[in-house]
Amino acid sequence: MRVVITIGGSIIMKDESPEKFQEYARILTSLAKEHEIFVVVGGGKPARNYIKIARGMGASESHCDDIGIEITRLNAKLLITALKGEAYPMVPENFNEAMEYSTSNKIVVMGGTEPAHSTDAVGAILAEFVDAELLINLTSVDGLYDKDPHQHDDARMFEEVTAQQMMEFLREKEVMAGTYEFFDMTAIQMIKRSRIKTIIANGKAPENLIKVLNNEKIGTRII
């Protein structure tokens, strides 16, 4: 199965330590024995810090996005380092390069591509581009909630949601560099038009990837 996995920067860079990268490398290496794996890594706190500095100097949102993209690519390089010989050694900067690198039969790891596209959007576009069978979005909570579960004890998680419902949910969200939460509108539009099977799950435990691929009931499925 061809699978695209997006790993939120807030997950993989939470403690800014090698252990989380190594945990993911171990799981991804095991999955790559049976599946063709593409990974898109987010920027997390380091990206937000750099963006904050740039914005404080009057940089445009596009320029801030560009800075954030560079950080996602650095994070991708760290994961490639953890994966050692299991990953293609270069970070693709666009989708054609990602497809080209995949012919090596190695895990392909990338970050952002262009301004105004979150790494979740990059993952959705990549999934369509490479004709993936599954898109897995790993975030800091168990799935999609009707409100922030970190702030509301009565937040309700959706086991299933349609792409159209997701679009309505996101319509009121402000989109600025470094502030994407779950999918941005570009991502969900890609999922809707391509009918990509998509699951949002908690990435704090890398083992959840195995559960998703074993069709266990976990996270939120976009239908």
Side-chain angles (χ1 to χ4, degrees):
M1 183 189 302
R2 183 172 286 176
V3 183
V4 173
I5 300 163
T6 64
I7 305 175
S10 62
I11 298 298
I12 205 160
M13 288 297 291
K14 184 177 186 298
D15 299 316
E16 297 186 9
S17 66
E19 284 76 16
K20 186 62 71 175
F21 284 91
Q22 291 168 333
E23 284 181 51
Y24 266 106
R26 177 176 57 83
I27 297 296
L28 291 168
T29 296
S30 67
L31 294 177
K33 294 176 182 178
E34 297 183 12
H35 305 284
E36 185 177 357
I37 304 294
F38 294 80
V39 183
V40 181
V41 183
K45 185 178 179 181
R48 290 192 294 275
N49 288 343
Y50 272 82
I51 287 168
K52 181 180 178 181
I53 294 169
R55 192 176 284 135
M57 293 187 289
S60 69
E61 286 304 305
S62 290
H63 192 101
C64 289
D65 262 335
D66 191 57
I67 289 170
I69 287 166
E70 292 299 323
I71 303 302
T72 66
R73 291 173 179 170
L74 286 173
N75 289 347
K77 286 183 179 181
L78 288 174
L79 184 54
I80 289 170
T81 301
L83 283 161
K84 303 185 184 299
E86 299 299 323
Y88 191 83
M90 302 286 289
V91 177
E93 296 187 358
N94 57 60
F95 305 111
N96 282 312
E97 287 184 356
M99 179 65 92
E100 177 186 345
Y101 296 172
S102 73
T103 61
S104 66
N105 294 318
K106 301 283 188 179
I107 298 169
V108 175
V109 186
M110 65 188 296
T113 56
E114 59 187 88
H117 284 177
S118 69
T119 46
D120 288 337
V122 171
I125 297 168
L126 178 63
E128 181 182 75
F129 194 89
V130 303
D131 195 24
E133 296 172 65
L134 177 63
L135 172 62
I136 304 172
N137 174 258
L138 297 177
T139 184
S140 61
V141 292
D142 292 335
L144 177 68
Y145 288 79
D146 58 353
K147 47 191 164 185
D148 188 344
H150 292 132
Q151 299 182 18
H152 302 276
D153 292 337
D154 61 342
R156 182 173 62 89
M157 192 188 88
F158 301 101
E159 291 187 4
E160 289 188 345
V161 64
T162 67
Q164 184 61 42
Q165 287 172 328
M166 279 284 287
M167 290 178 73
E168 292 168 2
F169 180 79
L170 292 169
R171 205 176 302 278
E172 304 300 321
K173 302 293 182 182
E174 183 178 19
V175 178
M176 295 177 66
T179 62
Y180 304 111
E181 193 169 340
F182 292 108
F183 293 105
D184 61 14
M185 192 60 76
T186 300
I188 198 63
Q189 285 172 340
M190 297 300 294
I191 291 168
K192 182 180 180 182
R193 82 175 189 181
S194 302
R195 297 184 175 87
I196 303 166
K197 180 181 177 183
T198 304
I199 295 173
I200 303 170
N202 195 321
K204 292 178 182 177
E207 294 81 6
N208 283 341
L209 276 173
I210 297 173
K211 294 179 180 179
V212 171
L213 286 166
N214 285 340
N215 292 315
E216 293 184 34
K217 191 174 181 181
I218 183 172
T220 299
R221 183 183 302 269
I222 302 177
I223 57 175

